Amino acid sequence: MVIDCQGLLMINCNQMLMEQMMAIYIINNNTNYLIKAGLLIQPEDATHRTGVMLEIKRGLITHIYPDSQAQPNASEPAEMIDLSPYTLMPGLIDCHVHLALDGENFKHALARWDQGDELEQHLTRSLKAYLGQGILAVRDGGDARGLALKLRHQVRAGNTPSPQIIATGWAIRQTGRYGGFLGPGLAGKSVEEAVEEAAGAGADQIKVLVSGIVDFNTYGRVGQVQFNLPNLSALVRHSHQLGLRVMAHASSREAVRLALEAGVDSLEHGYFLSQQSIDLLAATKTPWIPTLAPVANQLTLCKPELAEIISKTCRRQQEMVAAAASAGVIIGIGTDAGAAGVRHGQGFLDEVRLLREAGLSPARIIKAATTDGARILGLERKLGRLQVGMPANLIAVEGNPLIDLAALGKVRHTIITI
């Protein structure tokens, strides 16, 4: 079947689609499919092939033929999806979002948490925005009410098309420190107890606030560190014992060093980190999600006197991203969508642009947006690669993003296996 993303209206796959619609194909495990593509991108090794045919059976890619050599099996009828005008690639992945926030008005977003209908409408709009941008998985960085975790439960229980949600529930933090909207604070609990509580609620990963946030009034200033190394190490160790990865909100040289020494599984933000930390990221193969957009987008919102500080902060982050890429650090794309000035879905294109400005190649950015993102989220068996044996979770874009990343803003079709 095909879904019109503008209204989530189900229509028959054989009906003509209006050109301006972004169509979503839901792959049925009981149906065989053949998909034509003008160009196919395999991000893991930055290779591409022209004029191909994908064969899909039971939701999995079984063959990738040159279109001219494809020999459909008459005894196994298949539904044809002709995407020959487009480039086919794995769906995109946003490694850091906040679904309970809207990127527009922080106070209004918090007030919406107590308004059931309005909250539901906001969450539905956000999920549709991600699908419209070809984003097939998001990792939520938490909210104090665990709203995104509840949404993930609902999505998994239903059949509504949605990006896959990896939910942390809420962030673990020290009471009285930064992040009251992200988590309730330890309030006398041990870090092990806090991890147990999140795990018991069904969290897919653990989120910890190692530092406060970047200060836009004073260059280089970051909110204070919240954990010492023994406590943070205990949190990571217990999370790993429960089979849960740890994503660490950490900016400042000290906070980043603590997070990496404690063995966290991904570094979020990482503003004002040192070259030594870049070397440690590379050595330990710890992914870094640099979230450029929530700082850079402040330039359209801030008072004029703060613009130079914000601009300087963003430039430094881009310089460190370039250094990290050169050192072989795994970089994931995370937008921090929901933060002021970062809209759900649209923020992904902002982040891509800022990474390109930092000097990353289109091939490296596409790998970060797909293969590396899937590994960071623990979804490498479902997403991130376009290869035989993988589920058919794909997007078709207009143009070739290996040449011009603007093609990522022209998603025309999304293919999801459920």
Side-chain angles (χ1 to χ4, degrees):
M1 67 183 67
V2 178
I3 295 177
D4 163 15
C5 193
Q6 295 180 358
L8 291 183
L9 170 67
M10 293 191 179
I11 60 178
N12 188 282
C13 194
N14 295 320
Q15 288 179 280
M16 294 294 292
L17 294 175
M18 296 176 61
E19 283 297 320
Q20 68 270 28
M21 289 183 181
M22 198 287 291
I24 301 178
Y25 295 86
I26 305 298
I27 297 298
N28 187 320
N29 288 341
N30 298 318
T31 302
N32 298 330
Y33 300 86
L34 293 171
I35 302 178
K36 286 185 178 183
L39 183 72
L40 180 148
I41 293 176
Q42 293 169 308
E44 190 161 35
D45 53 9
T47 58
H48 65 277
R49 298 167 63 177
T50 58
V52 299
M53 178 86 78
L54 269 69
E55 178 185 74
I56 299 172
K57 295 181 179 180
R58 293 179 293 279
L60 300 178
I61 300 171
T62 53
H63 288 94
I64 302 177
Y65 306 100
D67 188 13
S68 60
Q69 298 178 15
Q71 299 292 329
N73 189 335
S75 65
E76 297 184 5
E79 186 170 327
M80 177 69 71
I81 302 176
D82 188 355
L83 302 179
S84 52
Y86 306 110
T87 296
L88 203 61
M89 60 181 288
L92 306 175
I93 295 169
D94 193 330
C95 294
H96 193 128
V97 308
H98 292 278
L99 290 167
L101 303 177
D102 60 20
E104 298 175 14
N105 187 306
F106 179 70
K107 291 183 179 179
H108 287 177
L110 296 187
R112 188 185 291 124
W113 292 2
D114 294 315
Q115 300 168 6
D117 290 345
E118 189 175 342
L119 175 63
E120 183 176 351
Q121 291 171 10
H122 158 70
L123 294 172
T124 299
R125 284 194 303 268
S126 297
L127 294 182
K128 289 168 65 176
Y130 283 114
L131 287 181
Q133 182 50 52
I135 297 168
L136 302 191
V138 298
R139 180 175 59 165
D140 186 86
D143 62 83
R145 301 276 188 90
L147 298 172
L149 182 59
K150 295 174 184 176
L151 178 64
R152 189 217 64 190
H153 289 322
Q154 294 171 3
V155 166
R156 291 184 181 178
N159 294 314
T160 302
S162 166
Q164 296 194 50
I165 300 171
I166 298 299
T168 60
W170 50 85
I172 296 176
R173 68 182 186 93
Q174 295 287 3
T175 304
R177 303 281 180 87
Y178 164 76
F181 67 100
L182 295 173
L186 289 175
K189 292 192 293 285
S190 69
V191 291
E192 291 90 349
E193 289 171 329
V195 168
E196 291 276 358
E197 186 177 2
D204 299 301
Q205 296 192 9
I206 297 297
K207 168 76 173 291
V208 59
L209 302 184
V210 184
S211 76
I213 56 173
V214 174
D215 188 338
F216 295 148
N217 293 286
T218 304
Y219 177 75
R221 180 184 291 172
V222 176
Q224 67 188 114
V225 170
Q226 300 199 26
F227 293 92
N228 58 28
L229 183 57
N231 274 341
L232 192 55
S233 297
L235 182 150
V236 173
R237 183 169 54 252
H238 198 63
S239 299
H240 289 174
Q241 288 170 350
L242 296 177
L244 299 176
R245 301 181 187 187
V246 178
M247 60 185 294
H249 167 119
S251 290
S252 82
R253 183 179 300 240
E254 180 187 4
V256 169
R257 178 184 59 79
L258 282 171
L260 296 179
E261 289 182 1
V264 302
D265 298 284
S266 68
L267 176 68
E268 315 295 312
H269 315 305
Y271 280 81
F272 303 109
L273 84 177
S274 64
Q275 180 62 49
Q276 288 76 14
S277 288
I278 287 178
D279 295 340
L280 188 54
L281 282 164
T284 58
K285 301 187 183 304
T286 304
W288 180 26
I289 294 83
T291 61
L292 293 158
V295 173
N297 288 6
Q298 291 302 308
L299 291 171
T300 63
L301 305 172
C302 70
K303 298 176 181 178
E305 59 268 25
L306 300 181
E308 179 53 34
I309 293 173
I310 293 172
S311 181
K312 185 178 179 181
T313 300
C314 190
R315 286 197 303 270
R316 186 191 189 279
Q317 186 78 335
Q318 288 178 307
E319 290 168 1
M320 300 312 282
V321 166
S326 296
V329 173
I330 300 165
I331 295 173
I333 294 184
T335 61
D336 210 10
V342 188
R343 302 285 296 276
H344 293 287
Q346 175 62 37
F348 199 88
L349 299 179
D350 296 336
E351 193 72 18
V352 165
R353 173 181 55 81
L354 290 161
L355 289 170
R356 186 71 182 105
E357 289 176 2
L360 272 63
S361 69
R364 182 66 185 271
I365 292 171
I366 290 170
K367 185 171 182 286
T370 55
T371 305
D372 289 339
R375 288 172 177 158
I376 292 166
L377 269 60
L379 295 175
E380 60 269 33
R381 294 185 179 180
K382 297 181 179 180
L383 295 165
R385 291 177 292 143
L386 205 164
Q387 296 176 347
V388 171
M390 287 291 292
N393 292 310
L394 317 168
I395 61 173
V397 303
E398 186 176 325
N400 182 353
L402 287 172
I403 297 174
D404 183 1
L405 285 167
L408 296 182
K410 301 175 183 178
V411 177
R412 299 297 181 247
H413 301 272
T414 296
I415 298 169
I416 305 176
T417 298
I418 57 174

